[in-house]
Amino acid sequence: MKKMGFFDKSDLKFVGWNVVFAAVLAIGILVALIFWLRRYTEHGIEVEVADVRGIVFEEAQPLLAEQGLVLVIIDSTYSDKVPFGTIVEQDPKPNSHAKHGRSVYVTINATTKRQVTMPDLQDMSYRQAETTLRGMGLRVDSIYEYEPSTYRDLVLDVKCNGESVAPGEKLAVGTKVRLVVGFGRGTDEVEVPSAIGLTLQEARSLLLSHRLTVGAVSYDEPIQEEGVPQYVYRQTPAAGTKLLEGETVALKLSADIEKAAKTNPNTESEEDSWF
């Protein structure tokens, strides 16, 4: 009887065919996977990115969508040289190539002008005030308004369209303002008006209209919270007093409006002074 080995020829042939089949199957799966990935990622398929600069987001979005691209806003800026709300920058750059589904990142020009806060320029030299305002993006009128004052060439007020602009008010960049500048004391006498019940800015405007300026300012209590209105309840000299143009009126303010309501401006005297 012939002795059999561990594997006979038929077994080896079976194993061989299985190995070949497995190899062919693996190669087929790999080729199919490559073709699927190429199709899924659209390998080699690119489009020329449209130039969307200078148009608004609502117009740019469908334009890029037709190319299979996605529009994404990543930042905003402000420029008065291009229309508000339009695209000023994009990435990828115009006319470059990108794959379908790629995001196009854009920067939009603000839809409204940037706002700046008016600083307190009271008693600042008009040259320094001009530099400050222009540095903030405001335009300063080359024509000044002059009012009598204790000192020459100091800013007494800032006006926009003829109205006083209080410190802390918001103005759009590019707004034109005019400085009210002191020219020293005058020679004519003026009657002191009553500032009782007014805010500091209102009192300043009233006194300026009478060619007088605000002098020392104090408060009956320390200001605990910004933005809480304070009202004049005492002034020195009292209303009706005669002063030379440009002289000052000292004011005392309180957040308690009732103090101002109880004050009779006609009974104020130098003896009531607390300065």
Side-chain angles (χ1 to χ4, degrees), residues 124-164:
M124 183 183 291
S125 73
Y126 73 96
R127 292 296 186 193
Q128 185 179 356
E130 279 185 345
T131 302
T132 300
L133 294 173
R134 286 179 176 142
M136 296 168 56
L138 299 174
R139 295 184 298 132
V140 182
D141 198 334
S142 58
I143 300 174
Y144 307 114
E145 290 186 18
Y146 288 95
E147 295 286 350
S149 64
T150 305
Y151 303 101
R152 293 176 59 87
D153 298 333
L154 297 184
V155 174
L156 303 177
D157 197 12
V158 183
K159 291 186 176 181
C160 178
N161 298 323
E163 299 292 331
S164 294

Coordinates of all heavy atoms in Angstrom, one line a residue, residues 124-164:
M124 N -8.8 121.6 26.7 CA -7.7 121.1 25.9 C -7.4 122.1 24.8 O -8.3 122.8 24.3 CB -8.1 119.7 25.2 CG -6.9 119.1 24.4 SD -7.5 117.6 23.6 CE -7.7 116.5 25.0
S125 N -6.1 122.3 24.4 CA -5.8 123.2 23.4 C -6.5 122.8 22.1 O -6.6 121.6 21.8 CB -4.3 123.3 23.2 OG -3.8 122.1 22.5
Y126 N -6.8 123.7 21.3 CA -7.6 123.4 20.1 C -6.7 122.6 19.1 O -7.3 121.8 18.4 CB -8.2 124.7 19.4 CG -7.2 125.5 18.7 CD1 -7.0 125.4 17.3 CD2 -6.4 126.5 19.4 CE1 -6.0 126.2 16.7 CE2 -5.5 127.3 18.7 CZ -5.3 127.2 17.4 OH -4.4 128.0 16.7
R127 N -5.4 122.8 19.1 CA -4.5 122.0 18.2 C -4.5 120.5 18.7 O -4.6 119.6 17.8 CB -3.1 122.6 18.3 CG -3.0 123.9 17.6 CD -3.3 123.9 16.2 NE -3.0 125.2 15.5 CZ -3.4 125.5 14.3 NH1 -4.2 124.6 13.6 NH2 -3.2 126.7 13.7
Q128 N -4.4 120.3 20.0 CA -4.4 119.0 20.5 C -5.8 118.3 20.2 O -5.9 117.1 19.9 CB -4.1 119.0 22.0 CG -4.0 117.6 22.6 CD -3.6 117.6 24.1 OE1 -3.4 118.7 24.6 NE2 -3.6 116.5 24.7
A129 N -6.9 119.1 20.4 CA -8.2 118.5 20.2 C -8.4 118.2 18.7 O -9.0 117.1 18.4 CB -9.2 119.6 20.6
E130 N -7.9 119.0 17.8 CA -8.0 118.6 16.4 C -7.3 117.3 16.1 O -7.8 116.5 15.4 CB -7.3 119.7 15.5 CG -8.2 121.0 15.3 CD -7.5 121.9 14.4 OE1 -6.2 121.8 14.1 OE2 -8.1 122.8 13.9
T131 N -6.1 117.2 16.6 CA -5.3 115.9 16.4 C -6.0 114.7 16.9 O -6.1 113.7 16.3 CB -3.9 116.0 17.1 OG1 -3.2 117.2 16.5 CG2 -3.1 114.8 16.8
T132 N -6.6 114.9 18.1 CA -7.4 113.8 18.7 C -8.6 113.4 17.9 O -8.8 112.2 17.6 CB -7.8 114.2 20.2 OG1 -6.7 114.5 21.0 CG2 -8.6 113.1 20.8
L133 N -9.4 114.4 17.5 CA -10.6 114.1 16.7 C -10.3 113.5 15.3 O -10.9 112.5 14.9 CB -11.4 115.3 16.5 CG -12.0 115.9 17.8 CD1 -12.6 117.3 17.6 CD2 -13.0 114.9 18.5
R134 N -9.3 114.0 14.7 CA -8.9 113.5 13.4 C -8.3 112.0 13.5 O -8.5 111.2 12.6 CB -7.9 114.4 12.7 CG -8.5 115.7 12.2 CD -7.6 116.6 11.5 NE -8.3 117.8 11.0 CZ -7.8 119.0 11.0 NH1 -6.6 119.2 11.6 NH2 -8.5 120.0 10.5
G135 N -7.6 111.8 14.6 CA -7.1 110.4 14.8 C -8.2 109.4 15.0 O -8.0 108.2 14.8
M136 N -9.4 109.9 15.5 CA -10.5 109.0 15.7 C -11.3 108.8 14.4 O -12.3 108.0 14.4 CB -11.5 109.6 16.7 CG -10.8 109.7 18.1 SD -11.8 110.7 19.2 CE -13.4 109.9 19.2
G137 N -11.0 109.6 13.3 CA -11.7 109.4 12.1 C -12.8 110.5 11.8 O -13.6 110.4 10.9
L138 N -12.9 111.5 12.7 CA -13.8 112.6 12.5 C -13.2 113.7 11.7 O -11.9 113.9 11.7 CB -14.3 113.1 13.9 CG -15.0 112.1 14.8 CD1 -15.3 112.8 16.2 CD2 -16.3 111.7 14.2
R139 N -14.0 114.5 11.0 CA -13.5 115.6 10.3 C -13.7 116.9 11.1 O -14.8 117.1 11.7 CB -14.2 115.7 8.9 CG -13.9 114.6 8.0 CD -14.6 114.8 6.6 NE -16.0 114.9 6.7 CZ -16.8 115.8 6.2 NH1 -16.2 116.8 5.5 NH2 -18.1 115.8 6.3
V140 N -12.7 117.7 11.2 CA -12.8 118.9 12.0 C -12.9 120.1 11.0 O -12.0 120.3 10.1 CB -11.5 119.1 12.9 CG1 -11.7 120.3 13.7 CG2 -11.4 117.9 13.8
D141 N -13.9 120.9 11.2 CA -14.1 122.2 10.4 C -12.9 123.1 10.6 O -12.4 123.3 11.7 CB -15.4 122.8 10.9 CG -15.9 123.8 9.8 OD1 -15.1 124.3 9.0 OD2 -17.1 124.1 9.8
S142 N -12.5 123.7 9.5 CA -11.4 124.6 9.5 C -11.8 126.0 10.1 O -11.0 126.8 10.4 CB -10.8 124.8 8.1 OG -11.8 125.3 7.2
I143 N -13.1 126.2 10.2 CA -13.7 127.4 10.8 C -14.0 127.1 12.3 O -14.7 126.2 12.6 CB -14.9 127.9 10.0 CG1 -14.5 128.2 8.6 CG2 -15.5 129.1 10.7 CD1 -15.7 128.5 7.7
Y144 N -13.6 128.0 13.2 CA -13.9 127.8 14.6 C -14.9 128.8 15.0 O -15.1 129.9 14.4 CB -12.6 128.1 15.4 CG -11.4 127.3 15.0 CD1 -10.3 127.9 14.5 CD2 -11.4 125.9 15.2 CE1 -9.2 127.2 14.2 CE2 -10.3 125.2 14.9 CZ -9.2 125.8 14.3 OH -8.1 125.1 14.0
E145 N -15.6 128.5 16.1 CA -16.5 129.5 16.8 C -15.7 130.0 18.0 O -15.1 129.2 18.7 CB -17.8 128.8 17.2 CG -18.7 128.5 16.1 CD -20.1 128.0 16.6 OE1 -20.4 128.2 17.8 OE2 -20.8 127.3 15.8
Y146 N -15.7 131.3 18.2 CA -14.9 131.8 19.3 C -15.8 132.4 20.3 O -16.9 133.0 20.0 CB -14.0 132.9 18.8 CG -12.8 132.4 18.0 CD1 -12.8 132.3 16.6 CD2 -11.6 131.9 18.6 CE1 -11.8 131.8 15.9 CE2 -10.6 131.4 17.9 CZ -10.6 131.4 16.5 OH -9.6 130.9 15.8
E147 N -15.5 132.1 21.6 CA -16.3 132.6 22.7 C -15.3 133.2 23.8 O -14.2 132.8 23.9 CB -17.1 131.5 23.4 CG -18.2 130.9 22.5 CD -19.4 131.8 22.3 OE1 -19.5 132.8 23.0 OE2 -20.3 131.5 21.5
P148 N -15.8 134.2 24.5 CA -15.0 134.7 25.6 C -14.7 133.6 26.6 O -15.5 132.7 26.8 CB -15.8 135.8 26.2 CG -16.8 136.2 25.2 CD -17.1 134.9 24.4
S149 N -13.5 133.6 27.2 CA -13.2 132.6 28.2 C -12.1 133.1 29.1 O -11.4 134.1 28.8 CB -12.7 131.3 27.5 OG -11.5 131.5 26.8
T150 N -11.8 132.4 30.2 CA -10.7 132.8 31.1 C -9.4 132.7 30.4 O -8.5 133.5 30.6 CB -10.8 131.9 32.3 OG1 -12.1 132.0 32.9 CG2 -9.8 132.4 33.4
Y151 N -9.2 131.6 29.6 CA -7.9 131.4 28.9 C -8.1 131.3 27.4 O -9.2 130.9 27.0 CB -7.3 130.1 29.4 CG -7.1 130.0 30.9 CD1 -8.0 129.3 31.8 CD2 -6.0 130.7 31.5 CE1 -7.8 129.3 33.1 CE2 -5.8 130.7 32.9 CZ -6.7 130.0 33.7 OH -6.6 130.0 35.1
R152 N -7.1 131.7 26.7 CA -7.2 131.7 25.2 C -6.9 130.3 24.7 O -6.1 129.6 25.2 CB -6.2 132.7 24.7 CG -6.5 134.2 25.0 CD -5.4 135.1 24.4 NE -5.2 134.9 23.0 CZ -5.9 135.6 22.1 NH1 -6.8 136.5 22.5 NH2 -5.7 135.4 20.8
D153 N -7.4 130.1 23.5 CA -7.1 128.9 22.7 C -7.4 127.6 23.3 O -6.9 126.5 22.8 CB -5.6 128.9 22.3 CG -5.2 130.2 21.5 OD1 -6.1 130.7 20.8 OD2 -4.1 130.6 21.5
L154 N -8.3 127.5 24.3 CA -8.7 126.3 24.9 C -10.1 125.9 24.4 O -10.9 126.8 24.1 CB -8.7 126.3 26.4 CG -7.4 126.5 27.1 CD1 -7.5 126.4 28.6 CD2 -6.3 125.5 26.6
V155 N -10.4 124.6 24.2 CA -11.6 124.2 23.7 C -12.7 124.4 24.7 O -12.6 123.9 25.9 CB -11.6 122.7 23.2 CG1 -13.0 122.2 22.8 CG2 -10.6 122.5 22.1
L156 N -13.8 125.0 24.4 CA -14.9 125.2 25.2 C -16.1 124.2 24.9 O -16.8 123.8 25.8 CB -15.5 126.6 25.1 CG -14.5 127.8 25.4 CD1 -15.2 129.1 25.1 CD2 -13.9 127.7 26.8
D157 N -16.2 123.8 23.7 CA -17.3 123.0 23.3 C -17.0 122.4 21.9 O -16.1 122.9 21.2 CB -18.6 123.8 23.2 CG -19.8 122.9 23.2 OD1 -19.7 121.7 23.5 OD2 -20.9 123.4 23.0
V158 N -17.7 121.3 21.6 CA -17.6 120.7 20.2 C -19.0 120.6 19.7 O -20.0 120.2 20.4 CB -17.0 119.3 20.3 CG1 -16.9 118.7 18.9 CG2 -15.7 119.3 21.0
K159 N -19.2 121.0 18.5 CA -20.6 121.1 17.9 C -20.6 120.2 16.6 O -19.7 120.1 15.9 CB -21.0 122.5 17.6 CG -21.2 123.3 18.8 CD -21.8 124.7 18.5 CE -22.1 125.5 19.7 NZ -22.7 126.9 19.3
C160 N -21.8 119.7 16.4 CA -22.1 118.9 15.2 C -23.5 119.4 14.7 O -24.5 119.3 15.4 CB -22.1 117.4 15.4 SG -22.5 116.4 14.0
N161 N -23.5 120.0 13.4 CA -24.7 120.5 12.9 C -25.3 121.6 13.8 O -26.5 121.7 14.0 CB -25.7 119.4 12.6 CG -25.2 118.4 11.6 OD1 -24.6 118.8 10.6 ND2 -25.6 117.2 11.8
G162 N -24.4 122.3 14.5 CA -24.9 123.4 15.3 C -25.3 123.0 16.7 O -25.6 123.9 17.5
E163 N -25.3 121.7 17.0 CA -25.6 121.2 18.4 C -24.4 120.7 19.1 O -23.5 120.1 18.5 CB -26.7 120.1 18.2 CG -28.0 120.5 17.6 CD -28.8 121.5 18.4 OE1 -28.7 121.4 19.6 OE2 -29.6 122.2 17.8
S164 N -24.4 121.0 20.4 CA -23.3 120.6 21.2 C -23.2 119.1 21.3 O -24.3 118.4 21.4 CB -23.4 121.2 22.6 OG -23.2 122.6 22.6

